[in-house]
């Protein structure tokens, strides 16, 4: 049975938030030769995104300047990426990361997967709108030009935002499972297309049933079959979709662990996940991280990061005393 888990973020609306007072304090912190980074952390990591947007509006009224632009001008390094990331509305932040994943040197395929495979159809549409507004470019066209092969085909399918939502048909589950099994057996281009069409278009509720039927038909778990039959970023994208259906917090815990340990602290991945999941399920991600890897996320960040960058990440992570 498909059972959504209770999800919880680490950042919630602050009942004592006064946008005007916060804007004045931030204005004071940004004055002078050295900005007071502790004030920025204390305010911006302890307010919800909606509250931060109100603070930015109050700042504009008080100082006649765009707060995001001022922060970009006054901060640097990874600390700047964290603080400015907090100031974007969620769709705009995803659009920002997608743009930089494709327009920097090379393409950050894992960023494309983290965002496009884990967002709902509604969220995809909001991201596409934000992308056009911010960069005057079409997300579909950029993905098409910056990726290739079946990986591109699957991304192009996802970015159409046509995944069914909240719909499940048990009668079709066995049929879809047979298609997946045949695709894993034959691995032709046509079968890969059929496989990605199911994984990219069916609702998560339907896929939950399909994966159970796949196990019944093949005697193999769908994730194991995908790992065995496909490779590269196409494989990673398909596995991310499976994870999105089964356990999103576990997926992001896995991505964080790899970013911290396997890539020598891949800062962009860590920042993106902590900022984008902070009001959604970061508490669940923290729990999965500790259950799976033994050490807490708070502990590992503290061990690998430093300075105000570390302090900002830990404030978003919101570790408990036992996490030190």
């Amino acid at each position: 049975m498909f059972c959504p888990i209770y999800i919880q973020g680490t950042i919630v609306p602050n009942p004592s938030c006064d946008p005007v007072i916060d804007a004045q304090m931030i204005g004071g912190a940004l004055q002078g030769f050295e900005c007071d980074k502790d004030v920025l952390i204390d305010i911006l990591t302890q307010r919800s995104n909606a509250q931060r947007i109100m603070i930015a509006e109050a700042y504009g009224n008080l100082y006649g300047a765009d707060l995001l632009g001022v922060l970009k001008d006054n901060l640097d390094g990874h600390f700047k990426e964290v603080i400015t990331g907090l100031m974007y509305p969620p769709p705009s932040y995803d659009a920002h990361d997608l743009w930089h994943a494709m327009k920097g040197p090379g393409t950050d395929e894992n960023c494309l997967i983290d965002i496009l495979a884990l967002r709902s159809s509604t969220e995809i549409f909001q991201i596409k709108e934000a992308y056009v507004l911010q960069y005057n470019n079409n997300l579909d066209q950029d993905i098409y030009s910056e990726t290739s092969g079946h990986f591109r085909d699957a991304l192009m399918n996802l970015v159409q935002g046509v995944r069914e939502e909240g719909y499940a048909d048990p009668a079709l589950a066995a049929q879809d499972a047979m298609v997946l099994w045949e695709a894993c057996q034959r691995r032709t281009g046509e079968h890969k297309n059929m496989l990605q069409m199911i994984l990219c278009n069916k609702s998560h509720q339907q896929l939950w049933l399909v994966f159970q039927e796949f196990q019944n038909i093949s005697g193999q778990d769908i994730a194991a079959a995908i790992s065995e039959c496909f490779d590269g970023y196409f494989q990673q994208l398909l596995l991310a979709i499976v994870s999105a259906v089964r356990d999103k917090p576990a997926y992001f815990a896995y991505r964080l662990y790899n970013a911290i340990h396997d890539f020598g602290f891949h800062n962009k991945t860590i920042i993106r996940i902590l900022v984008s999941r902070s009001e959604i399920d970061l508490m669940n991600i923290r729990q999965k991280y500790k259950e799976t890897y033994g050490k807490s996320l708070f502990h590992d960040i503290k061990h690998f990061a430093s300075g105000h960058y570390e302090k900002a990440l830990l404030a978003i992570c919101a570790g408990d005393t036992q996490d030190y």
Side-chain angles (χ1 to χ4, degrees):
M1 180 179 176
F2 184 82
C3 298
I5 61 170
Y6 174 70
I7 59 172
Q8 184 180 7
T10 56
I11 296 179
V12 297
N14 190 321
S16 63
C17 171
D18 184 318
V20 175
I21 292 176
D22 286 344
Q24 290 172 334
M25 292 184 68
I26 289 172
L30 292 168
Q31 298 297 316
F33 181 71
E34 283 280 337
C35 74
D36 191 334
K37 295 176 181 177
D38 289 319
V39 170
L40 300 181
I41 294 170
D42 290 345
I43 294 175
L44 297 177
T45 66
Q46 304 304 312
R47 307 290 186 269
S48 68
N49 186 260
Q51 289 175 329
R52 288 182 220 118
I53 290 170
M54 289 190 289
I55 292 167
E57 184 178 345
Y59 185 93
N61 293 334
L62 286 169
Y63 301 101
D66 172 54
L67 178 55
L68 179 57
V70 173
L71 291 170
K72 286 180 178 179
D73 290 340
N74 282 271
L75 305 176
D76 57 23
H78 299 307
F79 178 72
K80 170 182 174 178
E81 293 176 38
V82 177
I83 296 300
T84 56
L86 290 168
M87 298 308 299
Y88 287 95
S92 299
Y93 185 58
D94 281 344
H96 167 273
D97 277 355
L98 288 168
W99 168 265
H100 287 283
M102 293 185 282
K103 295 305 175 183
T107 299
D108 184 351
E109 288 87 356
N110 285 309
C111 175
L112 303 184
I113 293 170
D114 283 350
I115 294 174
L116 296 175
L118 279 294
R119 302 293 186 265
S120 68
S121 296
T122 301
E123 289 168 334
I124 295 283
F125 278 116
Q126 292 171 342
I127 292 166
K128 290 171 72 173
E129 288 179 354
Y131 197 90
V132 171
L133 287 172
Q134 288 164 227
Y135 304 108
N136 198 30
N137 273 49
N138 184 287
L139 179 58
D140 306 53
Q141 291 175 356
D142 283 353
I143 289 171
Y144 190 85
S145 66
E146 297 295 328
T147 58
S148 61
H150 292 289
F151 177 59
R152 175 172 67 186
D153 294 340
L155 288 175
M156 292 299 294
N157 197 330
L158 288 170
V159 83
Q160 301 311 310
V162 294
R163 183 184 296 284
E164 299 166 351
E165 295 188 6
Y167 173 80
D169 185 346
L172 282 177
Q175 180 179 322
D176 289 338
M178 281 297 296
V179 173
L180 294 184
W181 184 77
E182 188 174 348
C184 288
Q185 296 301 304
R186 299 198 182 184
R187 310 180 201 180
T188 66
E190 180 184 355
H191 285 92
K192 286 181 181 178
N193 285 336
M194 293 165 65
L195 177 144
Q196 63 97 354
M197 287 288 286
I198 291 174
L199 292 182
C200 295
N201 293 347
K202 300 289 184 176
S203 73
H204 285 183
Q205 289 84 349
Q206 179 70 10
L207 289 176
W208 182 274
L209 299 176
V210 172
F211 297 162
Q212 289 180 308
E213 290 293 340
F214 185 93
Q215 177 83 43
N216 295 337
I217 292 167
S218 68
Q220 189 176 24
D221 180 73
I222 183 66
I226 289 171
S227 297
E228 182 182 303
C229 298
F230 306 105
D231 57 16
Y233 290 115
F234 181 61
Q235 176 207 78
Q236 291 182 39
L237 176 58
L238 299 181
L239 290 175
I241 294 170
V242 173
S243 295
V245 172
R246 288 178 164 172
D247 194 336
K248 278 187 185 181
Y251 172 80
F252 286 116
Y254 162 78
R255 291 285 292 127
L256 283 168
Y257 185 84
N258 279 358
I260 292 171
H261 295 276
D262 290 359
F263 301 113
F265 215 73
H266 194 272
N267 295 284
K268 288 186 180 300
T269 299
I270 294 159
I271 293 167
R272 178 176 66 252
I273 294 174
L274 291 188
V275 170
S276 65
R277 309 308 294 185
S278 59
E279 292 184 53
I280 303 172
D281 55 1
L282 187 51
M283 197 72 80
N284 307 74
I285 293 167
R286 274 179 39 193
Q287 182 181 347
K288 285 288 180 181
Y289 191 100
K290 193 165 188 176
E291 287 175 0
T292 306
Y293 305 110
K295 297 284 181 64
S296 71
L297 178 59
F298 192 90
H299 170 277
D300 282 356
I301 290 172
K302 195 169 182 63
H303 185 74
F304 285 95
S306 61
H308 285 96
Y309 173 48
E310 172 200 328
K311 188 172 181 179
L313 291 180
L314 294 179
I316 296 169
C317 184
D320 300 319
T321 306
Q322 64 266 28
D323 287 335
Y324 283 87

